[in-house]
Amino acid sequence: MKVTKVSLVRSIMLGLIASVAGCPVEAQKTYCNPIDIDYKYNYEQLNDSISYRSGADPVIVNHKGTYFLFVTISGGYWHSYDLLQWHYIVPDKWPMEDMCAPAAMSVKDTLYLFQSTFEQRPIFYSLEPEKGKLKFYNRWLPALPKEVGPWDPALFYDEELNRWFMYWGSSNVYPMYGSELEKHARLRYKGDYKPMLYLHPEEHGWERFGRDHRSNIKPFMEGAWMTKHNGKYYLQYGAPGTEYNVYANGTYVGDSPLGPFTYAPYNPVSYKPGGFVTGAGHGNTFQDKHGNYWNTGTPWIAVNWNFERRIAMFPAGFDADGQMFSNTRFGDLPHALPDKKWNNKDDLFLGWMLLSYRKPATASSVRDTFATANLTDENPRTFWVAKQNKPGEWITVDLGKEQSVKAIQVNYTDYKSDIFDNDSARVYTQFKLYASRDGKQWDLVADLSREKKRDRPNAYVPLTMPVRARYIKYEHGYVASPNLAVSDLRIFGNGFGKPPKTPAQFTAVRDADPRNAFVRWQKVPGAVGYNILWGIGREKLYQTYQIFGDEPSVKEIRALSKGVSYYFAIEAFNENGVSQKSETVFVP
């Protein structure tokens, strides 16, 4: 393989080409779900020899203009100044059993932290969380009945009222609970706790369990979070279960911190059942330093264990009518990180399209039936495995024609791993990325063997400049696992053709069971996929179900609520861009 560095002249020319195509030339801070952090290996299945990285139940807190990320079973937490570069912190105090679904809250100069528990456990606080210094705030919070918790807790401080609260619940039997806390008694429960809300899957289609809500198992409610906006209280919850594509966040709305609360007709507020990253439930809502809202969630991986998961972050907000929403449209494609307040929910989407879907891939070696076709199928539960985990193993993806490549994401899989600790001297990833126009002469476009050693199981690599290429090559350096396995090599950018036409003959019809609707459309030649959009108003199409172009052109949407009318539309997308949205269809 002949390799050369991209020359300055060629880089300038490629930048000019990209500029003409409407692409940003100057490097911009971008991110892509799942979030690129060093997910920690889980110890819970140690005795069964099941090794996997995982992250779930995220809480991101904006504390004095910087960000702290808390994740289930991670041995510590992460710190960031920009929501992009996350630095792992091992604190000086931490529960021996670790923390599951932790609650975190910033009030003035103090960050508070509390774990899920069925026993008596302390509330921690820190004045220097970036240094990992934790202290005990309440050394021995009073116990609640074991079947009640508090599991999946959320802490909330109402600054206007100067009152403190906790919400919790993780069950398919018990409701979500809430209680006021006494500040003068170190945040002890104040009076009796009381139920806040229950699931009603017989009314709310999205609360039904199973893939695409097709299971009769009683669903689970979990992941409490409270957001106050314009005097209203939005009590959020995750449902119907973390181990499926339909894991989502919903909300009830009230006029006071402990209710009563009313079910929001536009639920769920964060929902992503289709695409590479599926599942958006059990996270939190926070504001960045520019005042923008974000909603976090827990996508599902489930290769080695049913609760093998990752972290996602979606732009969110409240519209002029107070409707809460999270924008998951193209939610697993690159987005910009804002440097100011955005005005439109789609402002952060860069228009960098998926170039690699079902494109042919070749590799230096293939083990058993773990074929290279798995590398471009947009499914994190299928993967390619090399015969050996050694430097120099490679993958090449043929994009079919020259495209403007702007970012690449490498998603590793823990296949028959034997790792249960997170020793940074051993656990890290290294690789190089190359681009070529003819498959013969290769230009080095990214080198992760030169950066500081860190683990990046979902490494997102935006290129310094767009590169015009037909072929992209991954050259392996190092992973700690005994096997080199990659689920997807995802390539983003833009083609030089036209976006697809708007899908014709789009219809949406309510089923006899009003929790369901059937949508149909005529396939568009060359479309990579479609976004089915819906909501409770013509200008409120906040929900998205992404469908790939090789799937049937009919889809049953099973996430509707009885007694609520909806509007539906559809758009098509390919490597070149997105079509105009279809006419909106009213579904009473």
Side-chain angles (χ1 to χ4, degrees):
M1 177 178 69
K2 186 176 180 181
V3 180
T4 63
K5 294 260 185 157
V6 178
S7 69
L8 177 61
V9 173
R10 185 177 176 198
S11 294
I12 293 173
M13 291 183 67
L14 289 171
L16 290 173
I17 292 170
S19 180
V20 170
C23 309
V25 178
E26 187 175 338
Q28 183 177 18
K29 288 184 177 181
T30 68
Y31 78 99
C32 187
N33 288 316
I35 297 300
D36 184 3
I37 63 171
D38 49 334
Y39 294 94
K40 300 306 177 183
Y41 280 95
N42 195 292
Y43 68 85
E44 292 174 294
Q45 283 69 47
L46 171 63
N47 294 328
D48 296 318
S49 299
I50 301 174
S51 168
Y52 61 96
R53 301 173 180 95
S54 188
D57 317 321
V59 171
I60 295 180
V61 174
N62 179 349
H63 181 61
K64 298 190 298 185
T66 59
Y67 306 100
F68 293 86
L69 167 62
F70 300 89
V71 176
T72 285
I73 311 295
S74 295
Y77 51 88
W78 286 263
H79 174 236
S80 175
Y81 293 104
D82 58 6
L83 293 174
L84 178 65
Q85 300 294 333
W86 292 97
H87 305 282
Y88 182 66
I89 295 173
V90 178
D92 57 7
K93 293 180 182 64
W94 204 252
M96 287 293 293
E97 67 275 17
D98 215 317
M99 284 199 182
C100 184
M105 174 179 61
S106 173
V107 179
K108 298 178 181 178
D109 63 347
T110 305
L111 191 147
Y112 298 84
L113 182 63
F114 181 59
Q115 69 191 96
S116 294
T117 180
F118 290 111
E119 309 288 344
Q120 288 185 266
R121 289 291 184 270
I123 297 176
F124 296 96
Y125 80 101
S126 179
L127 300 176
E128 299 177 291
E130 69 280 0
K131 297 180 181 179
K133 295 184 177 181
L134 298 183
K135 298 181 180 180
F136 293 110
Y137 189 79
N138 185 325
R139 190 69 179 252
W140 208 234
L141 194 69
L144 295 173
K146 287 190 176 183
E147 67 272 15
V148 171
W151 201 263
D152 285 8
L155 294 168
F156 172 65
Y157 171 63
D158 191 321
E159 184 175 9
E160 183 180 4
L161 302 179
N162 191 28
R163 294 167 64 189
W164 305 68
F165 301 88
M166 182 187 290
Y167 308 90
W168 68 91
S170 180
S171 173
N172 65 349
V173 175
Y174 296 99
M176 181 171 288
Y177 294 102
S179 176
E180 188 166 356
L181 304 177
E182 289 186 286
K183 183 64 167 64
H184 73 273
R186 315 296 286 184
L187 297 182
R188 184 179 63 197
Y189 304 112
K190 182 178 181 179
D192 292 334
Y193 60 90
K194 64 177 185 177
M196 299 286 101
L197 58 96
Y198 292 83
L199 293 184
H200 294 282
E202 73 283 359
E203 298 287 332
H204 312 143
W206 75 274
E207 292 180 351
R208 290 175 289 183
F209 198 66
R211 181 170 182 82
D212 285 332
H213 311 291
R214 295 185 181 277
S215 171
N216 291 323
I217 293 176
K218 193 174 182 180
F220 289 79
M221 177 174 55
E222 50 205 5
W225 189 261
M226 173 61 80
T227 302
K228 185 178 182 180
H229 177 76
N230 284 349
K232 296 287 185 180
Y233 297 84
Y234 295 78
L235 179 56
Q236 297 144 66
Y237 63 104
T242 188
E243 62 269 49
Y244 289 102
N245 67 319
V246 293
Y247 200 31
N249 290 326
T251 190
Y252 278 65
V253 185
D255 293 322
S256 64
L258 293 178
F261 293 99
T262 301
Y263 179 79
Y266 48 77
N267 273 309
V269 295
S270 189
Y271 187 63
K272 193 181 182 306
F276 177 73
V277 169
T278 60
H282 196 152
N284 81 310
T285 302
F286 72 97
Q287 282 185 283
D288 64 23
K289 62 183 70 177
H290 309 293
N292 300 299
Y293 280 99
W294 298 85
N295 190 265
T296 65
T298 306
W300 180 56
I301 301 295
V303 172
N304 299 283
W305 187 250
N306 214 25
F307 300 108
E308 183 179 8
R309 296 163 290 178
R310 294 292 188 265
I311 302 301
M313 182 174 74
F314 305 105
F318 299 85
D319 68 17
D321 297 323
Q323 177 170 336
M324 186 179 185
F325 65 88
S326 176
N327 188 14
T328 63
R329 175 180 175 264
F330 294 118
D332 49 27
L333 270 61
H335 279 61
L337 282 167
D339 56 7
K340 60 184 179 181
K341 190 80 166 63
W342 54 259
N343 296 312
N344 183 284
K345 69 180 181 65
D346 295 310
D347 282 351
L348 301 185
F349 176 52
L350 294 161
W352 298 0
M353 308 309 297
L354 179 66
L355 305 179
S356 50
Y357 183 64
R358 298 292 187 188
K359 298 298 173 62
T362 56
S364 53
S365 66
V366 177
R367 182 182 299 182
D368 301 329
T369 60
F370 299 104
T372 55
N374 297 335
L375 290 161
T376 59
D377 66 356
E378 288 290 287
N379 183 351
R381 284 164 290 283
T382 63
F383 48 93
W384 161 81
V385 182
K387 286 186 177 179
Q388 297 182 67
N389 178 4
K390 64 178 183 180
E393 293 277 358
W394 53 265
I395 302 163
T396 297
V397 176
D398 179 358
L399 299 178
K401 55 187 174 183
E402 290 186 11
Q403 315 266 32
S404 178
V405 177
K406 295 166 182 166
I408 300 165
Q409 187 186 57
V410 181
N411 297 276
Y412 292 97
T413 299
D414 288 296
Y415 174 66
K416 293 186 176 180
S417 177
D418 59 359
I419 302 171
F420 294 94
D421 59 48
N422 292 285
D423 181 3
S424 59
R426 177 192 179 194
V427 180
Y428 59 92
T429 52
Q430 290 185 334
F431 59 85
K432 297 178 182 179
L433 295 171
Y434 297 88
S436 174
R437 300 175 75 167
D438 58 9
K440 298 177 181 179
Q441 179 172 315
W442 295 87
D443 298 315
L444 179 67
V445 295
D447 186 352
L448 270 69
S449 65
R450 294 180 177 272
E451 69 172 19
K452 181 181 177 181
K453 291 181 179 178
R454 62 190 179 107
D455 191 29
R456 299 180 67 179
N458 300 93
Y460 169 65
V461 185
L463 304 186
T464 304
M465 296 289 290
V467 174
R468 184 162 184 155
R470 173 174 172 173
Y471 303 91
I472 296 296
K473 182 187 289 285
Y474 163 94
E475 183 182 282
H476 184 56
Y478 175 86
V479 292
S481 172
N483 297 292
L484 170 59
V486 177
S487 71
D488 287 82
L489 186 62
R490 309 179 71 216
I491 302 166
F492 308 105
N494 295 99
F496 299 103
K498 295 181 179 180
K501 294 182 178 180
T502 302
Q505 300 180 21
F506 177 69
T507 61
V509 179
R510 204 78 174 248
D511 189 18
D513 181 342
R515 297 174 297 176
N516 312 326
F518 289 92
V519 296
R520 291 177 171 83
W521 64 96
Q522 187 178 71
K523 285 196 173 186
V524 177
V528 171
Y530 307 88
N531 287 326
I532 300 169
L533 311 170
W534 76 95
I536 64 169
R538 290 187 181 277
E539 305 303 322
K540 297 175 178 287
L541 305 183
Y542 297 139
Q543 308 289 4
T544 303
Y545 201 129
Q546 181 180 307
I547 306 292
F548 285 111
D550 51 3
E551 298 179 58
S553 57
V554 57
K555 185 66 180 179
E556 183 182 16
I557 303 297
R558 298 173 57 84
L560 311 183
S561 292
K562 290 182 179 180
V564 178
S565 295
Y566 291 90
Y567 295 82
F568 279 82
I570 193 170
E571 62 187 3
F573 60 90
N574 63 11
E575 292 94 340
N576 308 313
V578 188
S579 75
Q580 292 294 315
K581 186 178 62 179
S582 72
E583 289 189 8
T584 303
V585 176
F586 177 61
V587 182

